[in-house]
Short mmCIF file of all heavy atoms in Angstrom, two decimals:
data_model
loop_
_atom_site.label_atom_id
_atom_site.label_comp_id
_atom_site.label_asym_id
_atom_site.label_seq_id
_atom_site.Cartn_x
_atom_site.Cartn_y
_atom_site.Cartn_z
N ALA A 384 -6.87 4.14 3.65
CA ALA A 384 -6.58 4.02 2.28
C ALA A 384 -5.47 3.32 1.95
O ALA A 384 -5.36 2.56 0.96
CB ALA A 384 -6.30 5.58 1.65
N GLY A 385 -4.33 3.34 2.68
CA GLY A 385 -3.12 2.73 2.46
C GLY A 385 -2.97 1.29 2.93
O GLY A 385 -2.09 0.53 2.45
N ILE A 386 -3.84 0.81 3.88
CA ILE A 386 -3.62 -0.40 4.50
C ILE A 386 -4.82 -1.32 4.31
O ILE A 386 -5.94 -0.83 4.30
CB ILE A 386 -3.43 -0.20 6.04
CG1 ILE A 386 -2.05 0.57 6.31
CG2 ILE A 386 -3.29 -1.55 6.84
CD1 ILE A 386 -0.81 -0.07 5.81
N GLY A 387 -4.54 -2.57 3.92
CA GLY A 387 -5.65 -3.46 3.68
C GLY A 387 -5.49 -4.73 4.61
O GLY A 387 -4.77 -4.75 5.55
N SER A 388 -5.98 -5.82 4.04
CA SER A 388 -5.91 -7.14 4.80
C SER A 388 -4.62 -7.60 5.13
O SER A 388 -4.51 -8.36 6.02
CB SER A 388 -6.77 -8.12 4.09
OG SER A 388 -6.18 -8.39 2.80
N SER A 389 -3.66 -7.17 4.33
CA SER A 389 -2.38 -7.72 4.65
C SER A 389 -1.75 -7.48 5.89
O SER A 389 -0.88 -8.21 6.36
CB SER A 389 -1.36 -7.19 3.49
OG SER A 389 -1.98 -7.29 2.18
N ILE A 390 -2.11 -6.38 6.57
CA ILE A 390 -1.60 -6.06 7.78
C ILE A 390 -1.99 -7.11 8.82
O ILE A 390 -1.40 -7.42 9.83
CB ILE A 390 -2.00 -4.59 8.29
CG1 ILE A 390 -1.00 -4.24 9.36
CG2 ILE A 390 -3.50 -4.53 8.89
CD1 ILE A 390 -0.92 -2.79 9.75
N LEU A 391 -3.26 -7.66 8.64
CA LEU A 391 -3.71 -8.82 9.53
C LEU A 391 -2.75 -10.00 9.41
O LEU A 391 -2.44 -10.57 10.31
CB LEU A 391 -5.19 -9.10 9.29
CG LEU A 391 -6.21 -7.93 9.40
CD1 LEU A 391 -7.59 -8.55 8.95
CD2 LEU A 391 -6.19 -7.52 10.86
N TRP A 393 0.43 -10.17 8.06
CA TRP A 393 1.88 -10.09 8.32
C TRP A 393 2.06 -9.51 9.89
O TRP A 393 3.13 -9.95 10.50
CB TRP A 393 2.60 -9.08 7.47
CG TRP A 393 2.76 -9.71 6.03
CD1 TRP A 393 2.19 -9.16 5.07
CD2 TRP A 393 3.53 -10.79 5.80
NE1 TRP A 393 2.55 -10.02 3.87
CE2 TRP A 393 3.29 -11.01 4.36
CE3 TRP A 393 4.23 -11.74 6.49
CZ2 TRP A 393 3.89 -12.11 3.70
CZ3 TRP A 393 4.78 -12.83 5.88
CH2 TRP A 393 4.64 -12.98 4.41
N HIS A 427 9.71 -2.82 8.25
CA HIS A 427 9.17 -2.97 6.82
C HIS A 427 7.84 -2.39 6.67
O HIS A 427 7.25 -2.17 5.53
CB HIS A 427 8.97 -4.47 6.60
CG HIS A 427 10.25 -5.19 6.18
ND1 HIS A 427 10.55 -6.45 6.60
CD2 HIS A 427 11.36 -4.63 5.65
CE1 HIS A 427 11.87 -6.71 6.26
NE2 HIS A 427 12.32 -5.61 5.66
N TRP A 428 7.16 -1.90 7.83
CA TRP A 428 5.86 -1.08 7.61
C TRP A 428 6.11 0.27 8.38
O TRP A 428 5.17 0.94 8.81
CB TRP A 428 4.81 -1.79 8.47
CG TRP A 428 4.33 -3.22 7.82
CD1 TRP A 428 5.15 -4.29 7.67
CD2 TRP A 428 3.26 -3.46 7.00
NE1 TRP A 428 4.55 -5.31 7.07
CE2 TRP A 428 3.24 -4.86 6.56
CE3 TRP A 428 2.13 -2.70 6.72
CZ2 TRP A 428 2.25 -5.51 5.79
CZ3 TRP A 428 1.09 -3.47 5.96
CH2 TRP A 428 1.15 -4.69 5.64
N ALA A 432 8.67 2.90 4.31
CA ALA A 432 7.54 2.37 3.59
C ALA A 432 6.54 3.60 3.38
O ALA A 432 6.09 3.75 2.31
CB ALA A 432 6.88 1.16 4.42
N TRP A 433 6.18 4.36 4.46
CA TRP A 433 5.37 5.37 4.46
C TRP A 433 5.96 6.48 3.48
O TRP A 433 5.09 7.27 2.96
CB TRP A 433 4.86 5.88 5.78
CG TRP A 433 3.86 4.89 6.18
CD1 TRP A 433 4.15 3.80 7.12
CD2 TRP A 433 2.41 4.84 6.05
NE1 TRP A 433 3.07 3.18 7.42
CE2 TRP A 433 1.87 3.72 6.73
CE3 TRP A 433 1.56 5.61 5.32
CZ2 TRP A 433 0.52 3.29 6.86
CZ3 TRP A 433 0.25 5.22 5.29
CH2 TRP A 433 -0.30 4.13 6.00
N TYR A 436 4.95 5.78 0.06
CA TYR A 436 3.47 6.21 -0.20
C TYR A 436 3.24 7.66 -0.39
O TYR A 436 2.44 8.08 -1.14
CB TYR A 436 2.66 5.84 1.10
CG TYR A 436 1.96 4.46 1.03
CD1 TYR A 436 2.15 3.62 -0.12
CD2 TYR A 436 0.99 3.97 1.91
CE1 TYR A 436 1.42 2.32 -0.15
CE2 TYR A 436 0.37 2.81 1.83
CZ TYR A 436 0.61 2.06 0.86
OH TYR A 436 -0.05 0.80 0.76
N GLY A 488 0.18 -5.34 -7.14
CA GLY A 488 0.04 -5.21 -5.77
C GLY A 488 -1.27 -5.86 -5.35
O GLY A 488 -1.22 -6.56 -4.31
N ALA A 489 -2.23 -5.60 -6.14
CA ALA A 489 -3.52 -6.30 -5.76
C ALA A 489 -3.40 -7.78 -5.80
O ALA A 489 -4.02 -8.50 -5.00
CB ALA A 489 -4.58 -5.72 -6.79
N THR A 491 -0.71 -9.53 -5.01
CA THR A 491 -0.19 -9.98 -3.77
C THR A 491 -1.22 -9.89 -2.59
O THR A 491 -1.26 -10.82 -1.80
CB THR A 491 1.12 -8.95 -3.46
OG1 THR A 491 1.88 -8.93 -4.59
CG2 THR A 491 1.92 -9.52 -2.34
N THR A 492 -1.94 -8.72 -2.63
CA THR A 492 -2.91 -8.64 -1.50
C THR A 492 -4.03 -9.73 -1.43
O THR A 492 -4.13 -10.47 -0.56
CB THR A 492 -3.53 -7.23 -1.67
OG1 THR A 492 -2.59 -6.29 -1.35
CG2 THR A 492 -4.62 -7.23 -0.61
N LEU A 493 -4.51 -9.95 -2.65
CA LEU A 493 -5.65 -11.02 -2.70
C LEU A 493 -4.98 -12.38 -2.52
O LEU A 493 -5.68 -13.20 -1.85
CB LEU A 493 -6.32 -10.97 -4.20
CG LEU A 493 -7.62 -10.29 -4.35
CD1 LEU A 493 -8.14 -10.60 -5.70
CD2 LEU A 493 -8.66 -11.02 -3.43
N LEU A 495 -2.57 -13.24 -0.79
CA LEU A 495 -2.16 -13.55 0.64
C LEU A 495 -3.43 -13.59 1.55
O LEU A 495 -3.62 -14.45 2.31
CB LEU A 495 -1.32 -12.45 1.20
CG LEU A 495 0.19 -12.46 0.82
CD1 LEU A 495 0.76 -11.14 1.21
CD2 LEU A 495 0.96 -13.58 1.19
N PHE A 610 11.21 -7.10 -1.51
CA PHE A 610 9.82 -7.42 -1.80
C PHE A 610 8.95 -6.38 -1.09
O PHE A 610 7.93 -5.80 -1.83
CB PHE A 610 9.52 -8.71 -1.15
CG PHE A 610 8.10 -9.05 -0.81
CD1 PHE A 610 7.12 -9.08 -1.88
CD2 PHE A 610 7.52 -9.16 0.49
CE1 PHE A 610 5.80 -9.18 -1.54
CE2 PHE A 610 6.33 -9.54 0.66
CZ PHE A 610 5.24 -9.49 -0.38
N TYR A 611 9.11 -5.91 0.06
CA TYR A 611 8.20 -4.85 0.67
C TYR A 611 8.28 -3.49 -0.10
O TYR A 611 7.23 -2.95 -0.30
CB TYR A 611 8.62 -4.73 2.16
CG TYR A 611 7.62 -5.59 3.11
CD1 TYR A 611 8.12 -6.52 3.95
CD2 TYR A 611 6.33 -5.41 3.10
CE1 TYR A 611 7.31 -7.29 4.63
CE2 TYR A 611 5.49 -6.09 3.78
CZ TYR A 611 5.93 -7.10 4.69
OH TYR A 611 5.13 -7.83 5.52
N ALA A 613 8.94 -2.91 -2.95
CA ALA A 613 8.27 -3.10 -4.25
C ALA A 613 6.77 -2.99 -4.15
O ALA A 613 6.06 -2.35 -4.87
CB ALA A 613 8.74 -4.38 -4.98
N TRP A 614 6.30 -3.67 -2.94
CA TRP A 614 4.85 -3.77 -2.84
C TRP A 614 4.36 -2.42 -2.46
O TRP A 614 3.29 -2.00 -2.83
CB TRP A 614 4.66 -4.92 -1.75
CG TRP A 614 3.29 -5.34 -1.49
CD1 TRP A 614 2.28 -5.09 -2.42
CD2 TRP A 614 2.70 -6.05 -0.45
NE1 TRP A 614 1.15 -5.69 -1.87
CE2 TRP A 614 1.47 -6.25 -0.63
CE3 TRP A 614 3.34 -6.58 0.73
CZ2 TRP A 614 0.71 -6.96 0.22
CZ3 TRP A 614 2.51 -7.34 1.66
CH2 TRP A 614 1.09 -7.48 1.34
N TRP A 615 4.98 -1.69 -1.66
CA TRP A 615 4.50 -0.32 -1.25
C TRP A 615 4.49 0.47 -2.42
O TRP A 615 3.63 1.43 -2.65
CB TRP A 615 5.36 0.23 -0.09
CG TRP A 615 5.14 -0.27 1.39
CD1 TRP A 615 5.81 -1.47 1.75
CD2 TRP A 615 4.37 0.19 2.28
NE1 TRP A 615 5.29 -1.63 3.02
CE2 TRP A 615 4.56 -0.69 3.44
CE3 TRP A 615 3.51 1.22 2.47
CZ2 TRP A 615 3.74 -0.37 4.61
CZ3 TRP A 615 2.77 1.52 3.62
CH2 TRP A 615 2.93 0.56 4.62
N LEU A 616 5.55 0.31 -3.20
CA LEU A 616 5.75 1.06 -4.41
C LEU A 616 4.53 1.02 -5.45
O LEU A 616 4.06 2.02 -5.87
CB LEU A 616 7.06 0.67 -5.19
CG LEU A 616 7.35 1.27 -6.50
CD1 LEU A 616 7.64 2.83 -6.21
CD2 LEU A 616 8.70 0.67 -7.04
N VAL A 617 4.05 -0.10 -5.65
CA VAL A 617 2.95 -0.39 -6.55
C VAL A 617 1.59 0.21 -6.16
O VAL A 617 0.79 0.65 -6.92
CB VAL A 617 2.65 -1.91 -6.96
CG1 VAL A 617 3.97 -2.42 -7.78
CG2 VAL A 617 2.49 -2.72 -5.78
N TYR A 618 1.53 0.34 -4.81
CA TYR A 618 0.29 0.93 -4.27
C TYR A 618 0.33 2.56 -4.15
O TYR A 618 -0.49 3.24 -3.89
CB TYR A 618 -0.08 0.46 -2.94
CG TYR A 618 -0.92 -0.90 -2.95
CD1 TYR A 618 -0.39 -2.08 -2.76
CD2 TYR A 618 -2.35 -0.69 -3.02
CE1 TYR A 618 -1.24 -3.27 -2.72
CE2 TYR A 618 -3.20 -1.74 -2.98
CZ TYR A 618 -2.62 -3.04 -2.93
OH TYR A 618 -3.46 -4.03 -2.95
N ALA A 619 1.67 2.90 -4.22
CA ALA A 619 1.90 4.42 -3.96
C ALA A 619 1.27 5.43 -4.78
O ALA A 619 0.57 6.43 -4.23
CB ALA A 619 3.42 4.68 -3.96
N PHE A 621 -1.56 5.26 -6.21
CA PHE A 621 -2.91 5.11 -5.93
C PHE A 621 -3.27 5.73 -4.49
O PHE A 621 -4.24 6.63 -4.26
CB PHE A 621 -3.26 3.63 -5.95
CG PHE A 621 -4.43 3.23 -5.09
CD1 PHE A 621 -5.71 3.64 -5.39
CD2 PHE A 621 -4.31 2.33 -4.05
CE1 PHE A 621 -6.84 3.24 -4.62
CE2 PHE A 621 -5.35 1.94 -3.29
CZ PHE A 621 -6.56 2.36 -3.54
N VAL A 622 -2.41 5.39 -3.52
CA VAL A 622 -2.57 6.05 -2.18
C VAL A 622 -2.24 7.56 -2.18
O VAL A 622 -2.94 8.30 -1.64
CB VAL A 622 -1.64 5.21 -1.10
CG1 VAL A 622 -1.79 5.94 0.18
CG2 VAL A 622 -1.96 3.84 -1.02
N CYS A 650 0.97 1.20 12.18
CA CYS A 650 1.53 -0.14 11.88
C CYS A 650 2.18 -0.77 13.18
O CYS A 650 2.23 -1.90 13.54
CB CYS A 650 2.43 0.05 10.73
SG CYS A 650 1.77 0.20 9.25
N PHE A 709 -11.76 -5.66 4.75
CA PHE A 709 -10.66 -5.04 4.40
C PHE A 709 -10.31 -5.31 2.88
O PHE A 709 -9.96 -4.33 2.10
CB PHE A 709 -9.40 -5.55 5.09
CG PHE A 709 -8.85 -4.56 6.17
CD1 PHE A 709 -8.40 -5.16 7.35
CD2 PHE A 709 -8.59 -3.35 5.85
CE1 PHE A 709 -7.94 -4.26 8.37
CE2 PHE A 709 -8.08 -2.47 6.80
CZ PHE A 709 -7.72 -3.02 8.08
N LEU A 710 -10.42 -6.47 2.39
CA LEU A 710 -10.17 -6.79 1.02
C LEU A 710 -11.10 -6.15 0.13
O LEU A 710 -10.89 -5.51 -0.86
CB LEU A 710 -10.36 -8.34 0.83
CG LEU A 710 -9.04 -9.27 0.84
CD1 LEU A 710 -9.34 -10.64 0.49
CD2 LEU A 710 -7.90 -8.56 -0.02
N THR A 713 -10.40 -2.26 -0.04
CA THR A 713 -9.21 -1.92 -0.82
C THR A 713 -9.46 -2.16 -2.35
O THR A 713 -9.09 -1.35 -3.16
CB THR A 713 -8.07 -2.92 -0.41
OG1 THR A 713 -7.85 -2.82 0.88
CG2 THR A 713 -6.79 -2.55 -1.22
N PHE A 714 -10.26 -3.23 -2.66
CA PHE A 714 -10.57 -3.44 -4.11
C PHE A 714 -11.58 -2.48 -4.65
O PHE A 714 -11.54 -2.14 -5.75
CB PHE A 714 -10.88 -4.82 -4.34
CG PHE A 714 -9.68 -5.59 -4.41
CD1 PHE A 714 -9.15 -6.21 -3.20
CD2 PHE A 714 -8.90 -5.77 -5.48
CE1 PHE A 714 -7.94 -6.84 -3.18
CE2 PHE A 714 -7.68 -6.44 -5.48
CZ PHE A 714 -7.21 -6.94 -4.43
N1 LIG B 173 1.10 -2.71 1.79
C1 LIG B 173 0.92 -1.69 2.74
O1 LIG B 173 -2.82 -5.56 1.06
C2 LIG B 173 -2.81 -4.44 1.62
O2 LIG B 173 -2.98 -4.35 2.86
C3 LIG B 173 -2.59 -3.23 0.78
C4 LIG B 173 -0.17 -3.49 1.41
C5 LIG B 173 1.67 -2.06 0.57
C6 LIG B 173 2.04 -3.70 2.26
C7 LIG B 173 -1.34 -2.56 1.04
#
Side-chain angles (χ1 to χ4, degrees):
I386 296 297
S388 59
S389 313
I390 201 162
L391 297 177
W393 290 116
H427 286 145
W428 294 70
W433 283 93
Y436 263 7
T491 310
T492 296
L493 256 183
L495 289 172
F610 157 61
Y611 263 121
W614 194 13
W615 286 83
L616 179 64
V617 288
Y618 272 100
F621 155 68
V622 176
C650 291
F709 250 138
L710 264 188
T713 302
F714 282 89

